[in-house]
Amino acid sequence: MDTIFILFALICLLLLRVPVAIAMASLGAILLWLKGLPMIMVSQFMISGVDSFELLAVPLFLLMSHILLVGGIGSDLFRAVQSWVGHWPGGLAVATVITCALFAAISGSSVATAATVGTVVIVEMTQRGYPKFFVLGLVAAGGTLGILIPPSIPMIIYGVITEASIPKLFLAGIGPGLFLASMFIFYSFMFAKFNKNYSRSKKATREERVTATISALPVVFIAFVVVGGIYGGLFTPSEAAGVGFVLSLAIVLAKRKNTFGDIHTAAMAAMKTTVTILLIVAAAALFGKSITIYQIPQDITAFVATAFAEPWLFTLIICIVLLVMGLFLESLSMLLIMMPVLIESLAPMGLHPIWFGIMFVIMIECALITPPVGMNLFVVQAVGKAKLSEVIQGVWPFVLIMLSTAVLLWFIPGMAMYLPYM
Amino acid sequence: MKLLKEISKAIDNTTRCSGIITAWMFVFVGFFVTYEVVMRKFGMPTKWTEEFSQIAQIWCVYLGVSFALQKRSLIIVDIIGDNISVTVRKVLDIFALTLTALFCILASINSFKDIGYSLKTSATTDSVLAIPMWIIQISLPIGLGLLFLQCISEIYKTFTGSEVVSSELDLVE
Amino acid sequence: ETTLRLTLQLPLTHPLGQNVASFKEEVERETNGEVKIEIFPSAQLFKDKDVPQAVASGAIEMGVASLTRFVGTVPAVDAFYVPFLFDSSDKIKAAAAPGSSIRKILDPAIEETGAKPLWYQAFGGAVVLTKGDKPIVVPEDAKGLKIRSFGATISDTIEAIGAAPTIMSGSKQFLAYQNGTVDAGMTGITAVQSRKLYEVMDYLTLTNHADIEFIVVINNDVWKALSDSERAIISKAGKRVEEELRTSIINKENAAREFLADKIKIIELTDEQRAVWKKSTASVVKAYVERAGARGQAIVTEAGKL
Ligand code: NA
Ligand code: NA
């Protein structure tokens, strides 16, 4: 009963155009108050919600992208990619998905992936005639690859809770991650092919390609340092964001085309987006913890774990619960609250913990892009300066793709299990 | 009425300043994080950058939030979109702003309780730096205080219609 | 009827979680359900570092955190991290026992912050993890390396052996070791198993240079509002589970060692090697006393008498 009331209240507030952060924070506070709990929790949760070094990747990668943007370098990379594949149907969209997958390979976070790729590609793609809703949906969905393609923070937490091998989980994520990426590419291709308003770019000449590629070298260099630095153990993803930012600034300043005012503009834009995203993170922490005190996620999980004995029904119900719970909770909370209870049911039902982990992550990805509450929707909206309704319009085909992937994973467990156990 | 307008203008300017401070604080954090990477490469990792960056991030979020409201970039689920009349839109706007202002008051009051407790026990972080806790905690009432004032200014502007209140969709500046 | 909410860092399946669950069971049974204890495991509500303030300020009634998290208000709690200050398992047992000369200094100081210590949870000794082909056996081997640390005093220890400390939380270790962001790390042996660190590290050196303790606290005002009989029941239950964990911790560490035996190379120190460790980390106690003041000095003096 509580669950339905809370869900209803949240959706009402959101429909009444209350900012997402304020809706979640004030509802969280009201819930604490109704239970007669110490309201001092409100301020403590709001602070601890953004007290994280991992989150620092968001402002720093955003700064990096905005600096590259004002320096005209962000589009250099795109122009280069476009000179090679732009004449294909959906060439830029394909490039976007590939960029997301590459970025996912260095970042363990979906939000950081969507924010970074979004800042670079949204303006560029819409300028080239792609419908905005399609671009927004593509970036929101592409960003979720961040937690399926290793490294992945949710997978580490999952491994620690369930005692499943983390390297095996990472390996298991690669197959479905690449499959999803290729499905996104396929969809982009089809979308471009059958979309009448879309005009294909002309095939670039050899000279154009060489020029474009050379001018993209600085970005390639930055990407190389950022990716190589993480794999080489020089720094963590958050630190990589800092290094990437400083490098971008150095390159932009070296080109001597930009004024101090441009840098200031980039800093202001990055700050504004960061604040809107991190405020939701803080508010979601307050809200999520309030309903945890109400024992709502715990009760639902315990119910599911005991009520359904058929493996397929159990898996299906969990997936539905994850989609609904994704409205309230961020992914790590879902893992921490649900998995310790669910893990007991896996072995008796013959469900492999590694396989189930990948299923869980795919459903978390889905929750990230389903309205009304999905972090990636918010990130893309903020970065793309769009309306949420536009993002939603663009994202639903990708939700369908992800759900089909989940279904496919049920029938073909080898998608995930082949790599770790070959 | 003129006084109100002046007050609203003063609030807007304060918010602008805090926005600029926040933006540049993030820039400095970027440099500090890079500095740490370089120093660690030379075997001399600093003891302060990670904690400093984390504290700066908390400060930035709350110092910057009033600026985000002023630019109307706080994220809204605009499913009902443009199908409502200007009056309804205004009423909803004022409802959201009032709720925001109320939340600011509630969170700030409780934040002061928290700070009072930290001062009483002279609590610090558990790191090498031992930063007093209140330095971190006070970011919330200061930031939300500014947000409260900005709400007042926005309510005033919505009533008088002295400024366009539709979401600002272009780049800052 | 009173509900005491309790925030816990570890999952309920962890030995420390089971310890709390056993306490809950006894209290609820003995008070005929008059006192209900509601456990929030896996840091669902508060992160480790936020627990002292959350309990002391009354945001939540009870909490479990690692003892070092109180260093912000009571710097003396780091005594258990001063290398070899308690250099045998008997001495650790004596120092951490309820009413010991050490706890007579620490407990009232923690209580002054507003959070009353109920019982200590033994977590085991600290070990050193290394990756690659050159393990850290003696301090000499650590020269110039970057080592994960989990507190100010542990960092002093790492600096004393000529290495560079990087403080990071328990959950960040896995990626940092895998990526090689740090070359080596210090942690508890049971954490090597539960956090699956053996999947990314090659060597485990049983230095046992420090002792890791967790502590269960209750808000002072909440405690005072309970009836005498309720307080007696809670104290008794706390004491029972404390002893149970303390006596079984050796078995648990041995079980962890057995589990890890074929997964990571375990290195035991000879007496000479241990002596070298002691010698090269002797300076840390000075830094500890400097931070912890009179209380720290008193603890060091009492430790000598154990
Ligand atoms: Na990833
Ligand atoms: Na969602």
Side-chain angles (χ1 to χ4, degrees):
Chain A
M1 206 47 228
D2 280 348
T3 317
I4 292 169
F5 163 75
I6 295 169
L7 185 61
F8 180 74
L10 180 65
I11 291 175
C12 275
L13 283 179
L14 293 177
L15 286 181
L16 289 175
R17 298 172 54 87
V18 175
V20 178
I22 303 299
M24 295 187 103
S26 48
L27 199 52
I30 290 170
L31 287 173
L32 291 177
W33 177 75
L34 283 176
K35 214 166 190 173
L37 289 162
M39 297 304 278
I40 199 166
M41 281 186 187
V42 172
S43 59
Q44 287 177 356
F45 288 150
M46 292 289 283
I47 295 267
S48 71
V50 282
D51 185 8
S52 142
F53 191 73
E54 271 80 54
L55 277 180
L56 204 58
V58 172
L60 296 183
F61 271 129
L62 279 172
L63 256 180
M64 173 178 118
S65 333
H66 277 282
I67 296 282
L68 291 176
L69 209 63
V70 296
I73 295 180
S75 42
D76 283 353
L77 177 64
F78 247 75
R79 229 158 273 143
V81 176
Q82 203 223 3
S83 73
W84 293 93
V85 298
H87 59 286
W88 300 352
L92 279 188
V94 172
T96 299
V97 177
I98 293 174
T99 313
C100 280
L102 287 179
F103 194 81
I106 59 165
S107 149
S109 145
S110 290
V111 172
T113 308
T116 311
V117 179
T119 344
V120 182
V121 307
I122 293 175
V123 178
E124 198 66 22
M125 283 184 69
T126 39
Q127 274 174 5
R128 301 199 184 260
Y130 283 86
K132 192 160 186 182
F133 71 89
F134 168 75
V135 178
L136 297 168
L138 183 70
V139 173
T144 67
L145 291 174
I147 55 172
L148 190 56
I149 294 178
S152 158
I153 294 165
M155 282 187 202
I156 294 176
I157 307 279
Y158 181 91
V160 168
I161 297 174
T162 63
E163 298 183 357
S165 155
I166 298 166
K168 282 206 165 78
L169 276 166
F170 279 5
L171 282 176
I174 295 177
L178 293 182
F179 178 79
L180 258 188
S182 56
M183 288 313 288
F184 292 169
I185 289 176
F186 180 71
Y187 171 74
S188 308
F189 186 78
M190 296 310 278
F191 180 88
K193 201 153 179 118
F194 291 104
N195 191 322
K196 294 189 184 74
N197 304 327
Y198 162 82
S199 56
R200 231 191 264 185
S201 335
K202 251 195 300 179
K203 188 173 175 178
T205 64
R206 208 186 136 79
E207 275 142 59
E208 281 169 336
R209 281 182 178 174
V210 171
T211 327
T213 308
I214 288 174
S215 68
L217 284 181
V219 198
V220 175
F221 171 70
I222 294 171
F224 177 77
V225 172
V226 167
V227 178
I230 294 175
Y231 278 111
L234 277 179
F235 35 67
T236 62
S238 293
E239 289 171 342
V243 173
F245 154 66
V246 171
L247 276 182
S248 319
L249 189 63
I251 289 172
V252 167
L253 290 181
K255 285 175 87 181
R256 290 168 168 273
K257 274 188 207 149
N258 289 98
T259 61
F260 176 80
D262 294 337
I263 307 296
H264 179 75
T265 307
M268 290 300 272
M271 178 275 287
K272 199 177 71 175
T273 314
T274 301
V275 167
T276 55
I277 294 170
L278 292 193
L279 190 70
I280 296 183
V281 172
L286 167 59
F287 183 72
K289 287 174 186 208
S290 301
I291 62 165
T292 305
I293 294 180
Y294 272 68
Q295 297 279 358
I296 290 173
Q298 295 94 317
D299 288 349
I300 295 178
T301 314
F303 172 72
V304 173
T306 50
F308 303 98
E310 287 284 315
W312 70 269
L313 190 60
F314 173 83
T315 311
L316 179 69
I317 300 288
I318 296 289
C319 290
I320 294 171
V321 168
L322 279 171
L323 278 183
V324 177
M325 212 97 100
L327 298 177
F328 301 131
L329 294 174
E330 51 85 34
S331 51
L332 292 188
S333 307
M334 287 203 277
L335 268 168
L336 287 172
I337 292 172
M338 296 177 64
M339 268 331 286
V341 183
L342 294 180
I343 183 70
E344 306 297 327
S345 314
L346 294 187
M349 273 188 250
L351 298 172
H352 197 290
I354 300 262
W355 174 87
F356 192 77
I358 301 303
M359 191 64 123
F360 204 101
V361 170
I362 294 179
M363 293 316 291
I364 293 178
E365 285 188 79
C366 250
L368 281 168
I369 56 168
T370 46
V373 180
M375 262 329 278
N376 269 29
L377 296 179
F378 302 148
V379 170
V380 171
Q381 179 197 2
V383 171
K385 296 168 186 56
K387 289 186 173 183
L388 197 63
S389 43
E390 286 179 287
V391 190
I392 293 168
Q393 188 195 350
V395 91
W396 69 263
F398 295 97
V399 175
L400 289 185
I401 293 177
M402 282 185 194
L403 291 177
S404 333
T405 308
V407 174
L408 213 57
L409 186 61
W410 167 263
F411 288 107
I412 314 172
M415 272 172 82
M417 305 298 275
Y418 178 71
L419 272 183
Y421 291 100
M422 67 182 190
Chain B
M1 263 341 249
K2 192 155 181 268
L3 181 69
L4 282 177
K5 194 170 179 185
E6 287 303 313
I7 292 175
S8 162
K9 224 175 173 177
I11 293 173
D12 285 357
N13 286 333
T14 316
T15 293
R16 230 186 99 76
C17 287
S18 73
I20 292 171
I21 293 171
T22 309
W24 284 92
M25 213 142 90
F26 274 128
V27 171
F28 282 112
V29 169
F31 280 111
F32 290 143
V33 168
T34 309
Y35 174 79
E36 158 74 10
V37 170
V38 174
M39 292 311 278
R40 197 173 51 214
K41 185 69 209 150
F42 294 121
M44 295 178 287
T46 65
K47 287 176 178 167
W48 54 272
T49 41
E50 177 157 345
E51 186 171 15
F52 174 86
S53 315
Q54 238 166 287
I55 295 173
Q57 172 167 273
I58 300 172
W59 264 95
C60 285
V61 172
Y62 291 111
L63 263 192
V65 65
S66 52
F67 183 80
L69 176 72
Q70 187 185 59
K71 297 290 170 193
R72 289 305 172 102
S73 60
L74 290 183
I75 294 166
I76 286 171
V77 179
D78 57 351
I79 293 177
I80 44 175
D82 308 320
N83 310 325
I84 48 173
S85 72
V86 178
T87 327
V88 176
R89 168 77 60 99
K90 273 191 175 184
V91 170
L92 290 181
D93 255 346
I94 287 172
F95 169 71
L97 288 167
T98 312
L99 190 63
T100 311
L102 287 176
F103 179 77
C104 289
I105 296 173
L106 174 86
S108 299
I109 290 174
N110 284 288
S111 186
F112 280 121
K113 280 191 216 159
D114 217 20
I115 292 165
Y117 166 80
S118 298
L119 288 174
K120 201 179 85 192
T121 55
S122 40
T124 67
T125 58
D126 56 7
S127 63
V128 190
L129 294 184
I131 308 280
M133 292 293 281
W134 66 266
I135 291 186
I136 303 169
Q137 292 159 341
I138 205 162
S139 62
L140 190 72
I142 290 180
L144 294 187
L146 285 172
L147 181 62
F148 174 81
L149 292 177
Q150 192 60 44
C151 283
I152 305 290
S153 170
E154 295 300 317
I155 290 175
Y156 166 79
K157 282 187 264 179
T158 310
F159 261 124
T160 56
S162 55
E163 219 157 280
V164 191
V165 289
S166 62
S167 356
E168 195 214 331
L169 295 179
D170 25 49
L171 269 182
V172 185
E173 315 294 1
Chain C
E1 196 181 308
T2 322
T3 303
L4 302 178
R5 292 175 193 88
L6 183 149
T7 171
L8 177 69
Q9 297 320 296
L10 297 152
L12 270 177
T13 46
H14 190 279
L16 263 55
Q18 288 169 354
N19 187 250
V20 175
S22 165
F23 164 82
K24 165 191 159 90
E25 189 269 328
E26 177 173 337
V27 170
E28 288 181 351
R29 175 165 38 83
E30 293 297 313
T31 59
N32 296 317
E34 279 302 299
V35 176
K36 235 183 118 245
I37 293 177
E38 209 175 334
I39 303 174
F40 294 91
S42 308
Q44 285 169 8
L45 287 190
F46 293 95
K47 286 180 243 173
D48 199 26
K49 67 179 211 175
D50 297 328
V51 171
Q53 177 123 2
V55 174
S57 66
I60 190 157
E61 289 83 0
M62 296 178 70
V64 187
S66 122
L67 184 59
T68 191
R69 293 308 185 188
F70 286 84
V71 81
T73 39
V74 185
V77 294
D78 259 4
F80 290 96
Y81 286 173
V82 175
F84 308 106
L85 185 60
F86 311 105
D87 59 354
S88 71
S89 50
D90 287 340
K91 278 193 191 173
I92 290 169
K93 211 168 162 178
S100 75
S101 54
I102 307 292
R103 279 184 57 178
K104 273 194 184 130
I105 301 168
L106 286 183
D107 290 8
I110 296 171
E111 197 173 328
E112 263 173 45
T113 69
K116 181 190 163 59
L118 283 178
W119 79 92
Y120 282 38
Q121 291 186 313
F123 192 79
V127 299
V128 176
L129 292 172
T130 15
K131 191 175 177 170
D133 24 63
K134 203 168 162 283
I136 298 177
V137 183
V138 286
E140 177 83 331
D141 302 326
K143 254 206 183 82
L145 297 186
K146 289 167 281 186
I147 302 184
R148 179 259 170 166
S149 159
F150 51 95
T153 303
I154 294 289
S155 294
D156 288 343
T157 308
I158 292 172
E159 278 181 346
I161 59 174
T166 306
I167 293 190
M168 72 181 59
S169 67
S171 57
K172 280 187 220 159
Q173 283 179 91
F174 189 95
L175 261 194
Y177 293 153
Q178 191 184 37
N179 294 347
T181 317
V182 289
D183 308 303
M186 290 192 183
T187 186
I189 183 166
T190 48
V192 179
Q193 179 180 356
S194 64
R195 292 199 183 278
K196 310 172 74 63
L197 303 177
Y198 55 85
E199 292 187 331
V200 282
M201 294 305 253
D202 301 317
Y203 291 96
L204 186 162
T205 315
L206 291 164
T207 48
N208 278 319
H209 56 285
D211 170 56
I212 305 171
E213 295 285 327
F214 277 65
I215 175 172
V216 185
V217 286
I218 184 166
N219 177 274
N220 254 342
D221 299 328
V222 170
W223 178 251
K224 283 179 194 141
L226 294 168
S227 73
D228 286 344
S229 68
E230 287 167 342
R231 280 199 292 255
I233 290 168
I234 289 177
S235 299
K236 188 167 154 260
K239 216 163 181 177
R240 175 183 65 84
V241 295
E242 170 160 18
E243 259 176 42
E244 273 178 19
L245 191 61
R246 184 73 55 189
T247 46
S248 67
I249 190 67
I250 306 271
N251 296 336
K252 291 199 165 97
E253 287 200 281
N254 286 338
R257 272 180 68 171
E258 217 164 277
F259 172 84
L260 293 171
D262 57 342
K263 298 179 179 71
I264 191 167
K265 207 153 173 349
I266 298 179
I267 300 168
E268 288 199 65
L269 296 186
T270 64
D271 287 347
E272 294 85 60
Q273 286 166 338
R274 215 170 141 80
V276 179
W277 273 95
K278 258 189 201 180
K279 209 175 140 218
S280 30
T281 55
S283 59
V284 177
V285 69
K286 226 191 285 160
Y288 164 71
V289 171
E290 229 164 73
R291 266 199 291 270
R295 273 196 199 110
Q297 186 57 58
I299 287 178
V300 172
T301 312
E302 289 298 330
K305 293 184 201 159
L306 285 172

